[in-house]
């Protein structure tokens, strides 16, 4: 665990992308851990959130498949020794998958230092949440698009506010037994649900969680809600964010919010070379690279065949590029 924190800290402290790319090249050459896996074990969602691409019927038609349980040990063998962080559920809903505990068991077996999951949590019952923590999940992120029942159920179509609160209540008890287990709430804000953050703790004060992350809406697809402007966020920023920060500080909750500067620079995104080198997306339809074959390849054998080391070396001297894959943009701003 401490190695991950050191690397994450280094990543924040080191501003030069050349030095970051050099670090990645060295970690790669010495067969160390440096990749982050974003794993959607099932391509479906029980919700149709209005801000999300799952509200688009055309998108939903393309999203199908479950990762074969028999392939999980192969996946682990092929990748997990090189993985720094495993994120289960990023573009779809992981609670629809029956073998999450098996994924976590394998991740622990291969000593992945940080295992997290992102979910709307409505399908998890109390036993499921206890089991996730017991099997070694380090962090669960719960998605939230409204403070009140009315706005939660409006923006998170098919969602039940009561079920969300039940999950928070269970996680509050889980945290008593597993204090290192982190609970994070990811609140996606738009012009119409931003101001209600002022009364966040009127609703959520009884529950214990570690991090509240406020993330402005992004255009990630043909979503039903399509106001992507951040104007209202900028206008009410001081009133809403400063109160929220203060409320969080009083409760010992880490509050992660965009800075005013982030809101001004709507299009500022991570450097593509670093994201591409460390980002590994896995789903029932796609494993890392288009031509990667889980029955034959491993991360090491594929990297060797395709001269990945040489490409990582060239990145040290390349010019900055911006990423254009919406999945990567979405995932990379979660943390
Ligand atoms: C697409 S969801 C999939 C994971 C899971 N089903 C869930 O609800 O957490 C991943 C994250 O993206 C957030 N999200 C949804 N629509 C978004 C948008 N338009 N802009 C930014 N984030 C969004 C969700 O709140 C969630 O935290």
């Amino acid at each position: 665990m401490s190695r991950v924190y050191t690397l994450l800290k280094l990543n924040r402290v080191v501003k030069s992308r050349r030095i970051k790319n050099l670090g990645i090249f060295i970690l790669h050459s010495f067969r160390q851990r440096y990749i982050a896996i974003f794993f959607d074990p099932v391509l479906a969602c029980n919700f149709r959130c209005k801000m999300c691409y799952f509200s688009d019927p055309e998108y939903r038609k393309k999203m199908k498949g479950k990762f074969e349980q028999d392939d999980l040990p192969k996946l682990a063998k092929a990748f997990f020794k090189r993985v720094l962080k495993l994120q289960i559920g990023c573009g779809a809903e992981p609670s629809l998958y029956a073998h999450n505990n098996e994924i976590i068991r394998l991740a622990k077996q291969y000593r992945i230092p940080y295992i997290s999951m992102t979910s709307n949590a409505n399908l998890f019952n109390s036993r499921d949440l206890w089991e996730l923590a017991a099997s070694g999940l380090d962090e669960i992120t719960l998605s939230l698009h409204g403070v009140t029942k009315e706005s939660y159920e409006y923006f998170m179509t098919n969602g039940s506010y009561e079920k969300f609160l039940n999950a928070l209540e269970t996680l509050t008890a889980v945290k008593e037994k597993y204090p290192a287990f982190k609970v994070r709430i990811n609140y996606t804000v738009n012009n119409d649900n931003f101001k209600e953050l002022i009364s966040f703790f009127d609703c959520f004060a009884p529950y214990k969680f570690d991090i509240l992350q406020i993330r402005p809406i992004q255009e990630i697809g043909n979503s039903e809600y399509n106001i992507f402007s951040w104007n209202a966020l900028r206008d009410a920023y001081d009133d809403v964010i400063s109160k929220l920060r203060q409320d969080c500080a009083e409760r010992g909750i880490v509050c992660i919010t965009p800075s005013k500067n982030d809101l001004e620079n709507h299009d500022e995104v991570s450097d593509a070379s670093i994201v591409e080198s460390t980002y590994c997306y896995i789903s029932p339809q796609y494993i890392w690279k288009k031509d990667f074959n889980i029955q034959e390849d491993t991360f090491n054998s594929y990297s060797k065949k395709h001269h990945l080391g040489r490409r990582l070396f060239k990145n040290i001297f390349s010019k900055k590029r911006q990423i254009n894959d919406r999945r990567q943009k979405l995932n990379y701003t979660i943390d």
Side-chain angles (χ1 to χ4, degrees), residues 71-210:
D71 285 341
L72 289 174
K74 290 178 204 153
L75 182 75
K77 193 163 180 240
F79 287 94
F80 284 8
K81 276 192 182 159
R82 308 301 303 273
V83 176
L84 209 50
K85 182 184 167 183
L86 171 65
Q87 165 72 45
I88 306 164
C90 42
E93 179 48 49
S95 59
L96 290 164
Y97 194 59
H99 313 294
N100 287 315
N101 291 330
E102 167 80 352
I103 301 173
I104 298 167
R105 190 190 62 71
L106 287 162
K108 295 302 282 181
Q109 185 187 320
Y110 284 87
R111 298 174 193 277
I112 295 184
Y114 207 76
I115 311 162
S116 64
M117 178 180 276
T118 299
S119 169
N120 59 49
N122 269 226
L123 291 176
F124 283 137
N125 61 31
S126 172
R127 208 182 69 188
D128 298 328
L129 294 168
W130 277 102
E131 276 177 10
L132 287 172
S135 54
L137 188 70
D138 293 295
E139 176 177 309
I140 188 160
T141 297
L142 307 179
S143 303
L144 182 66
H145 298 181
V147 170
T148 61
K149 176 176 166 67
E150 194 191 1
S151 64
Y152 178 95
E153 291 180 359
Y154 173 74
F155 281 112
M156 303 188 88
T157 309
N158 291 354
S160 151
Y161 191 66
E162 282 72 29
K163 285 186 181 158
F164 182 78
L165 295 186
N166 286 342
L168 268 182
E169 195 178 329
T170 301
L171 290 168
T172 300
V174 169
K175 279 193 62 60
E176 290 276 317
K177 179 157 183 210
Y178 301 99
F181 178 72
K182 297 254 182 295
V183 176
R184 179 193 292 242
I185 294 181
N186 179 28
Y187 191 94
T188 307
V189 272
N190 59 44
N191 280 354
D192 296 294
N193 70 355
F194 181 57
K195 286 199 182 138
E196 62 195 77
L197 279 172
I198 286 203
S199 52
F200 187 88
F201 285 99
D202 294 351
C203 302
F204 298 110
Y207 309 104
K208 192 116 186 70
F209 55 94
D210 303 276

Side-chain angles (χ1 to χ4, degrees), residues 45 51-53 90-94 118-120 143 145 186 188 215-218 220 330 334:
C45 191
M51 281 186 272
C52 179
Y53 35 62
C90 42
E93 179 48 49
T118 299
S119 169
N120 59 49
S143 303
H145 298 181
N186 179 28
T188 307
R215 224 163 52 135
I217 184 171
Q218 288 178 295
I220 59 169
L330 182 63
I334 281 183

Side-chain angles (χ1 to χ4, degrees), residues 5 35 38-39 87 104 114 136 156-157 178 190 199 229 275 287 299 309 323:
Y5 281 123
I35 58 171
F38 291 85
F39 185 17
Q87 165 72 45
I104 298 167
Y114 207 76
M156 303 188 88
T157 309
Y178 301 99
N190 59 44
S199 52
S229 144
V275 173
I287 297 178
F299 178 82
I323 46 171

Side-chain angles (χ1 to χ4, degrees), residues 275-298:
V275 173
E276 283 162 9
S277 316
T278 54
Y279 176 93
C280 175
Y281 181 69
I282 293 174
S283 79
Q285 295 179 358
Y286 187 90
I287 297 178
W288 186 34
K289 307 277 181 198
K290 245 189 262 161
D291 57 345
F292 186 91
N293 179 352
I294 192 65
Q295 310 307 335
E296 292 168 8
D297 299 323
T298 65

